[in-house]
Amino acid sequence: MGKKYRKKSKFIAYLLWLFLGFAGGHRFYIGDYFKGTFMLLTFGGCGIWWFFDFFAISSRVYYRNIELKQLESKRRAEEFRIENLRRQEELQLQNQIRQEAFRRQEEERRLLERERAEQRKLEELIREQRIRESGIYQIDEMTGEDFEEFLYVLYKGQGYNVQLTPKTGDFGADLILTKNNRKIAVQAKRYKDKVGVGAIQEIHTAKSYYRADECWVVTNNYYTDSAVKLAASSGVVLIDRNKLIGMLVAKNQGA
C-alpha cells in the first residue's frame, strides 16, 4: 500500500488531538484539510470544535480508513489496467514485428523460389539444347543394328579397336572393344523402354564366353532398379541415356 493511502492510527490521531488539536493537527493527519485549516485559523473553533472532536475522532478515523482502502483498491485497479494496456501494446508490437518478419521471410522465400524456377528453366533449356546438339533424338529413331554400327564408330573414335559380333550367335555381346590390352564385351540396347535384368545376365555370360576383362551395357534409355542392383553386384558397367549424351557432346565438341 502506498504512503498516500496508508491506514490511519486512532492512537496517533488522539495524540495529535491532545497536543495539536487547537491547530487542527489530528484533522490534517486523517486528511480533513479543510476542517484542519478552519481549526488552525479559529484556534480549534474557540475550543468548541476541539472538544467535540474527542468524540468524533474514532469514527472519523474508521470511515477515513474505509475511504483510503477504497482509494487504494481504485489505485491498484488503475495500475492493473495501465499494466494490461502496456502488455497489450507490447504484444501488439511483438505481433507486428513477427508479422513483418514473416512477411519478409515469405517475400524472400518467393523470390528464392522464383530464382530457382528460373534457374531450373535455364538449366532445362541448356539441357534440351545439349540433347538436340548431341544427336540423341536421331539415335532414338535408329534400329538396333544401326545403333550397334553407331557405337562402332563412336568407340573407334575414342581409340578402341572395335569388332562387331555376328548378328546371330553373339552370346549376348554386340561389340568387342580392345584397348591397352584390355578386352570389353558390349551389349547395345536401343530401347523405347527401360532396360531390364535380362541384358545384365546376357552380357555377364558374354564376358565369360569372350574372356573379356569388362562388360558394358549401352542404351539410349535408362535401367530398371532391379537391373541397376544386379549390375552393381555382378560388376557390369551401365551406360544410360545421360552418359551417352555426355559422350556425344564430348564427341561433337572435339569434332
Side-chain angles (χ1 to χ4, degrees):
M1 182 180 291
K3 291 182 178 180
K4 184 177 179 181
Y5 305 108
R6 186 174 295 170
K7 186 177 180 181
K8 303 303 178 180
S9 170
K10 291 182 181 180
F11 176 74
I12 295 176
Y14 272 109
L15 284 178
L16 291 172
W17 171 84
L18 180 61
F19 294 104
L20 297 174
F22 287 95
H26 58 294
R27 287 288 179 173
F28 285 112
Y29 170 68
I30 62 178
D32 290 340
Y33 300 109
F34 176 78
K35 293 180 179 178
T37 303
F38 178 79
M39 292 183 71
L40 177 64
L41 296 177
T42 62
F43 198 65
C46 298
I48 298 173
W49 206 336
W50 171 81
F51 174 76
F52 283 108
D53 264 357
F54 174 79
F55 305 99
I57 288 175
S58 178
S59 60
R60 186 67 191 102
V61 170
Y62 172 77
Y63 287 111
R64 181 56 179 167
N65 284 335
I66 293 176
E67 292 174 1
L68 292 175
K69 186 176 181 180
Q70 292 173 345
L71 290 172
E72 175 67 11
S73 298
K74 290 180 180 179
R75 182 188 67 82
R76 290 182 177 179
E78 181 64 15
E79 288 180 350
F80 181 76
R81 186 184 66 82
I82 294 173
E83 180 65 17
N84 277 345
L85 288 174
R86 185 186 65 79
R87 290 180 180 178
Q88 289 176 5
E89 290 175 354
E90 289 179 354
L91 289 174
Q92 289 176 355
L93 180 60
Q94 291 174 1
N95 287 334
Q96 290 175 357
I97 293 173
R98 282 196 292 266
Q99 290 174 0
E100 180 65 19
F102 179 75
R103 185 185 64 79
R104 291 180 180 177
Q105 289 176 355
E106 282 296 302
E107 289 180 355
E108 292 175 357
R109 182 184 63 80
R110 286 194 292 268
L111 179 61
L112 182 60
E113 287 180 353
R114 194 179 306 119
E115 291 176 350
R116 287 176 177 173
E118 292 175 355
Q119 181 65 25
R120 287 194 296 268
K121 186 176 180 180
L122 178 60
E123 291 174 354
E124 185 64 23
L125 290 173
I126 294 173
R127 179 176 176 275
E128 287 292 332
Q129 182 65 23
R130 186 175 167 218
I131 290 173
R132 282 194 295 271
E133 293 175 352
S134 70
I136 192 68
Y137 294 133
Q138 288 79 8
I139 292 175
D140 291 339
E141 301 300 323
M142 292 180 180
T143 64
E145 292 183 1
D146 290 340
F147 186 48
E148 292 174 13
E149 292 177 0
F150 170 79
L151 292 180
Y152 176 91
V153 175
L154 179 64
Y155 283 117
K156 202 168 186 63
Q158 293 181 0
Y160 287 96
N161 183 14
V162 186
Q163 176 187 352
L164 287 170
T165 61
K167 302 302 178 184
T168 59
D170 58 12
F171 297 97
D174 298 311
L175 302 95
I176 302 298
L177 312 180
T178 53
K179 187 177 182 181
N180 299 328
N181 296 321
R182 291 187 66 79
K183 182 186 288 188
I184 305 167
V186 179
Q187 185 178 94
K189 290 293 183 183
R190 209 288 305 160
Y191 269 21
K192 291 185 179 180
D193 298 318
K194 289 185 176 182
V195 179
V197 296
I200 312 302
Q201 295 168 341
E202 291 172 3
I203 196 62
H204 191 265
T205 301
K207 177 184 176 183
S208 300
Y209 177 80
Y210 289 101
R211 296 181 181 179
D213 300 295
E214 298 179 38
C215 56
W216 301 351
V217 180
V218 183
T219 182
N220 65 314
N221 209 300
Y222 298 96
Y223 299 91
T224 63
D225 293 340
S226 299
V228 172
K229 291 178 181 179
L230 181 60
S233 63
S234 57
V236 176
V237 176
L238 301 182
I239 299 175
D240 63 7
R241 186 179 184 86
N242 294 338
K243 292 180 180 179
L244 182 59
I245 290 173
M247 293 167 61
L248 294 174
V249 171
K251 174 179 174 294
N252 294 336
Q253 290 176 346

